[in-house]
Short mmCIF file of all heavy atoms in Angstrom, two decimals:
data_model
loop_
_atom_site.label_atom_id
_atom_site.label_comp_id
_atom_site.label_asym_id
_atom_site.label_seq_id
_atom_site.Cartn_x
_atom_site.Cartn_y
_atom_site.Cartn_z
N VAL C 1 -3.96 14.36 12.74
CA VAL C 1 -3.04 13.22 12.73
C VAL C 1 -3.51 12.15 11.73
O VAL C 1 -2.71 11.52 11.05
CB VAL C 1 -2.91 12.63 14.15
CG1 VAL C 1 -2.07 11.33 14.11
CG2 VAL C 1 -2.28 13.63 15.07
N ARG C 2 -4.84 11.96 11.62
CA ARG C 2 -5.33 10.91 10.72
C ARG C 2 -4.94 11.18 9.26
O ARG C 2 -4.83 10.27 8.45
CB ARG C 2 -6.84 10.76 10.85
CG ARG C 2 -7.64 11.95 10.34
CD ARG C 2 -9.14 11.68 10.46
NE ARG C 2 -9.94 12.77 9.91
CZ ARG C 2 -10.25 13.88 10.57
NH1 ARG C 2 -9.82 14.05 11.84
NH2 ARG C 2 -11.00 14.81 10.01
N ASN C 3 -4.73 12.46 8.92
CA ASN C 3 -4.36 12.78 7.55
C ASN C 3 -2.91 12.39 7.21
O ASN C 3 -2.53 12.34 6.04
CB ASN C 3 -4.53 14.27 7.27
CG ASN C 3 -6.00 14.68 7.23
OD1 ASN C 3 -6.81 14.11 7.97
ND2 ASN C 3 -6.33 15.65 6.38
N LEU C 4 -2.11 12.12 8.26
CA LEU C 4 -0.70 11.80 8.02
C LEU C 4 -0.50 10.35 7.62
O LEU C 4 0.56 9.97 7.14
CB LEU C 4 0.13 12.11 9.27
CG LEU C 4 0.07 13.58 9.75
CD1 LEU C 4 0.95 13.76 10.99
CD2 LEU C 4 0.52 14.52 8.65
N SER C 5 -1.47 9.53 7.79
CA SER C 5 -1.37 8.12 7.40
C SER C 5 -1.49 8.02 5.88
O SER C 5 -2.22 8.76 5.24
CB SER C 5 -2.48 7.31 8.07
OG SER C 5 -2.54 6.03 7.50
N ARG C 6 -0.76 7.00 5.30
CA ARG C 6 -0.86 6.78 3.86
C ARG C 6 -2.28 6.46 3.43
O ARG C 6 -2.68 6.74 2.31
CB ARG C 6 0.08 5.65 3.43
CG ARG C 6 1.55 6.02 3.42
CD ARG C 6 2.39 4.85 2.95
NE ARG C 6 3.80 5.19 2.87
CZ ARG C 6 4.39 5.75 1.84
NH1 ARG C 6 3.66 6.03 0.77
NH2 ARG C 6 5.67 6.02 1.86
N ARG C 7 -3.01 5.82 4.33
CA ARG C 7 -4.37 5.41 4.00
C ARG C 7 -5.40 6.47 4.40
O ARG C 7 -6.59 6.31 4.15
CB ARG C 7 -4.70 4.10 4.70
CG ARG C 7 -3.79 2.95 4.26
CD ARG C 7 -4.15 1.66 5.01
NE ARG C 7 -3.28 0.56 4.64
CZ ARG C 7 -3.46 -0.21 3.59
NH1 ARG C 7 -4.49 -0.01 2.80
NH2 ARG C 7 -2.62 -1.19 3.31
N GLY C 8 -4.92 7.53 5.00
CA GLY C 8 -5.84 8.54 5.49
C GLY C 8 -6.23 9.53 4.43
O GLY C 8 -5.79 9.46 3.27
N PRO C 9 -7.05 10.49 4.79
CA PRO C 9 -7.45 11.54 3.85
C PRO C 9 -6.25 12.39 3.45
O PRO C 9 -5.23 12.42 4.16
CB PRO C 9 -8.48 12.36 4.63
CG PRO C 9 -8.88 11.48 5.77
CD PRO C 9 -7.72 10.63 6.10
N PRO C 10 -6.34 13.08 2.34
CA PRO C 10 -5.22 13.94 1.92
C PRO C 10 -4.96 15.05 2.93
O PRO C 10 -5.88 15.55 3.58
CB PRO C 10 -5.71 14.52 0.59
CG PRO C 10 -6.78 13.60 0.12
CD PRO C 10 -7.44 13.06 1.35
N ILE C 11 -3.71 15.42 3.01
CA ILE C 11 -3.33 16.55 3.86
C ILE C 11 -3.83 17.83 3.19
O ILE C 11 -3.67 17.99 1.97
CB ILE C 11 -1.81 16.61 4.05
CG1 ILE C 11 -1.31 15.32 4.72
CG2 ILE C 11 -1.40 17.85 4.85
CD1 ILE C 11 0.20 15.25 4.83
N PRO C 12 -4.43 18.74 3.92
CA PRO C 12 -4.83 20.01 3.30
C PRO C 12 -3.61 20.72 2.72
O PRO C 12 -2.49 20.57 3.21
CB PRO C 12 -5.45 20.80 4.46
CG PRO C 12 -5.82 19.76 5.46
CD PRO C 12 -4.84 18.65 5.32
N ASP C 13 -3.84 21.46 1.63
CA ASP C 13 -2.72 22.10 0.96
C ASP C 13 -1.94 22.99 1.91
O ASP C 13 -0.71 23.04 1.86
CB ASP C 13 -3.23 22.92 -0.23
CG ASP C 13 -2.08 23.44 -1.10
OD1 ASP C 13 -1.22 22.61 -1.50
OD2 ASP C 13 -2.03 24.64 -1.39
N ASP C 14 -2.63 23.68 2.81
CA ASP C 14 -1.91 24.56 3.74
C ASP C 14 -1.53 23.85 5.02
O ASP C 14 -1.08 24.47 5.98
CB ASP C 14 -2.76 25.79 4.06
CG ASP C 14 -4.12 25.42 4.67
OD1 ASP C 14 -4.40 24.19 4.74
OD2 ASP C 14 -4.88 26.32 5.04
N GLY C 15 -1.72 22.52 5.05
CA GLY C 15 -1.38 21.76 6.24
C GLY C 15 0.08 21.33 6.26
O GLY C 15 0.54 20.75 7.25
N LEU C 16 0.83 21.56 5.19
CA LEU C 16 2.22 21.14 5.15
C LEU C 16 3.01 22.12 4.30
O LEU C 16 2.54 22.56 3.25
CB LEU C 16 2.35 19.73 4.55
CG LEU C 16 3.77 19.16 4.42
CD1 LEU C 16 4.40 18.95 5.79
CD2 LEU C 16 3.75 17.87 3.61
N SER C 17 4.19 22.48 4.75
CA SER C 17 5.08 23.34 3.97
C SER C 17 6.51 22.89 4.22
O SER C 17 6.99 22.91 5.36
CB SER C 17 4.90 24.81 4.38
OG SER C 17 5.82 25.61 3.67
N VAL C 18 7.17 22.41 3.12
CA VAL C 18 8.57 21.98 3.20
C VAL C 18 9.36 22.77 2.16
O VAL C 18 8.99 22.81 0.99
CB VAL C 18 8.73 20.47 2.93
CG1 VAL C 18 10.20 20.06 3.00
CG2 VAL C 18 7.90 19.66 3.91
N THR C 19 10.44 23.41 2.57
CA THR C 19 11.32 24.14 1.66
C THR C 19 12.73 23.60 1.79
O THR C 19 13.24 23.48 2.92
CB THR C 19 11.30 25.64 1.96
OG1 THR C 19 9.96 26.12 1.85
CG2 THR C 19 12.19 26.40 0.99
N ILE C 20 13.33 23.24 0.65
CA ILE C 20 14.69 22.69 0.65
C ILE C 20 15.55 23.54 -0.28
O ILE C 20 15.15 23.83 -1.41
CB ILE C 20 14.71 21.22 0.17
CG1 ILE C 20 13.82 20.35 1.07
CG2 ILE C 20 16.13 20.68 0.12
CD1 ILE C 20 13.64 18.94 0.54
N THR C 21 16.71 23.92 0.17
CA THR C 21 17.70 24.61 -0.65
C THR C 21 18.99 23.80 -0.60
O THR C 21 19.47 23.50 0.50
CB THR C 21 17.95 26.04 -0.15
OG1 THR C 21 16.72 26.76 -0.18
CG2 THR C 21 18.97 26.75 -1.03
N ALA C 22 19.53 23.46 -1.78
CA ALA C 22 20.73 22.61 -1.79
C ALA C 22 21.62 23.01 -2.96
O ALA C 22 21.15 23.47 -4.00
CB ALA C 22 20.35 21.14 -1.90
N ASN C 23 22.93 22.82 -2.81
CA ASN C 23 23.91 23.10 -3.87
C ASN C 23 24.80 21.87 -4.07
O ASN C 23 24.98 21.06 -3.15
CB ASN C 23 24.77 24.30 -3.50
CG ASN C 23 23.96 25.57 -3.41
OD1 ASN C 23 23.29 25.95 -4.36
ND2 ASN C 23 23.97 26.21 -2.24
N GLY C 24 25.39 21.76 -5.29
CA GLY C 24 26.27 20.63 -5.59
C GLY C 24 25.57 19.30 -5.55
O GLY C 24 26.16 18.28 -5.17
N VAL C 25 24.30 19.27 -5.94
CA VAL C 25 23.48 18.07 -5.82
C VAL C 25 23.73 17.14 -7.01
O VAL C 25 23.89 17.58 -8.14
CB VAL C 25 21.98 18.45 -5.76
CG1 VAL C 25 21.11 17.20 -5.76
CG2 VAL C 25 21.72 19.31 -4.54
N THR C 26 23.77 15.85 -6.74
CA THR C 26 23.78 14.81 -7.77
C THR C 26 22.52 13.99 -7.61
O THR C 26 22.22 13.52 -6.51
CB THR C 26 25.00 13.90 -7.64
OG1 THR C 26 26.19 14.68 -7.82
CG2 THR C 26 24.97 12.79 -8.67
N LEU C 27 21.77 13.82 -8.69
CA LEU C 27 20.53 13.06 -8.60
C LEU C 27 20.29 12.29 -9.89
O LEU C 27 20.81 12.64 -10.95
CB LEU C 27 19.35 13.98 -8.29
CG LEU C 27 19.05 15.12 -9.27
CD1 LEU C 27 18.02 14.68 -10.28
CD2 LEU C 27 18.59 16.37 -8.54
N ARG C 28 19.50 11.25 -9.78
CA ARG C 28 19.13 10.44 -10.95
C ARG C 28 17.61 10.54 -11.09
O ARG C 28 16.87 9.90 -10.35
CB ARG C 28 19.55 8.99 -10.76
CG ARG C 28 19.34 8.13 -12.03
CD ARG C 28 19.62 6.65 -11.78
NE ARG C 28 20.96 6.39 -11.35
CZ ARG C 28 22.02 6.25 -12.15
NH1 ARG C 28 21.86 6.38 -13.45
NH2 ARG C 28 23.21 6.00 -11.66
N PRO C 29 17.13 11.36 -12.05
CA PRO C 29 15.69 11.57 -12.16
C PRO C 29 14.93 10.33 -12.60
O PRO C 29 13.79 10.12 -12.21
CB PRO C 29 15.59 12.69 -13.20
CG PRO C 29 16.84 12.58 -13.99
CD PRO C 29 17.89 12.12 -13.05
N VAL C 30 15.56 9.51 -13.48
CA VAL C 30 14.91 8.30 -14.00
C VAL C 30 15.95 7.19 -14.01
O VAL C 30 17.11 7.41 -14.36
CB VAL C 30 14.36 8.53 -15.43
CG1 VAL C 30 13.68 7.27 -15.95
CG2 VAL C 30 13.37 9.69 -15.45
N ASP C 31 15.51 6.00 -13.62
CA ASP C 31 16.43 4.87 -13.64
C ASP C 31 17.02 4.67 -15.03
O ASP C 31 16.37 4.91 -16.05
CB ASP C 31 15.70 3.59 -13.22
CG ASP C 31 15.31 3.61 -11.75
OD1 ASP C 31 15.89 4.44 -11.02
OD2 ASP C 31 14.43 2.83 -11.35
N ASP C 32 18.27 4.21 -15.09
CA ASP C 32 18.96 3.86 -16.33
C ASP C 32 19.30 5.06 -17.21
O ASP C 32 19.66 4.89 -18.38
CB ASP C 32 18.16 2.85 -17.16
CG ASP C 32 17.85 1.58 -16.38
OD1 ASP C 32 18.73 1.17 -15.59
OD2 ASP C 32 16.76 1.02 -16.57
N LEU C 33 19.19 6.27 -16.67
CA LEU C 33 19.63 7.46 -17.39
C LEU C 33 20.79 8.09 -16.64
O LEU C 33 20.96 7.88 -15.43
CB LEU C 33 18.50 8.46 -17.55
CG LEU C 33 17.42 8.11 -18.57
CD1 LEU C 33 16.37 9.21 -18.64
CD2 LEU C 33 18.01 7.88 -19.96
N PRO C 34 21.63 8.87 -17.33
CA PRO C 34 22.80 9.46 -16.65
C PRO C 34 22.41 10.36 -15.48
O PRO C 34 21.31 10.93 -15.43
CB PRO C 34 23.48 10.27 -17.77
CG PRO C 34 22.98 9.67 -19.04
CD PRO C 34 21.61 9.20 -18.76
N LEU C 35 23.34 10.48 -14.52
CA LEU C 35 23.14 11.35 -13.36
C LEU C 35 23.19 12.81 -13.76
O LEU C 35 23.93 13.21 -14.66
CB LEU C 35 24.23 11.08 -12.32
CG LEU C 35 24.23 9.68 -11.68
CD1 LEU C 35 25.50 9.50 -10.86
CD2 LEU C 35 23.00 9.49 -10.82
N ILE C 36 22.39 13.63 -13.04
CA ILE C 36 22.49 15.08 -13.14
C ILE C 36 23.42 15.55 -12.02
O ILE C 36 23.20 15.23 -10.85
CB ILE C 36 21.11 15.74 -13.02
CG1 ILE C 36 20.22 15.31 -14.19
CG2 ILE C 36 21.23 17.26 -12.98
CD1 ILE C 36 18.81 15.87 -14.11
#
């Protein structure tokens, strides 16, 4: 649990796994540039 804090130690590489799949996405990678 202590690793989950912003001020805590880094989470081990195998301590977290998030997978996202999405379609029809609109995003702005950098401010002041056109949307993707």
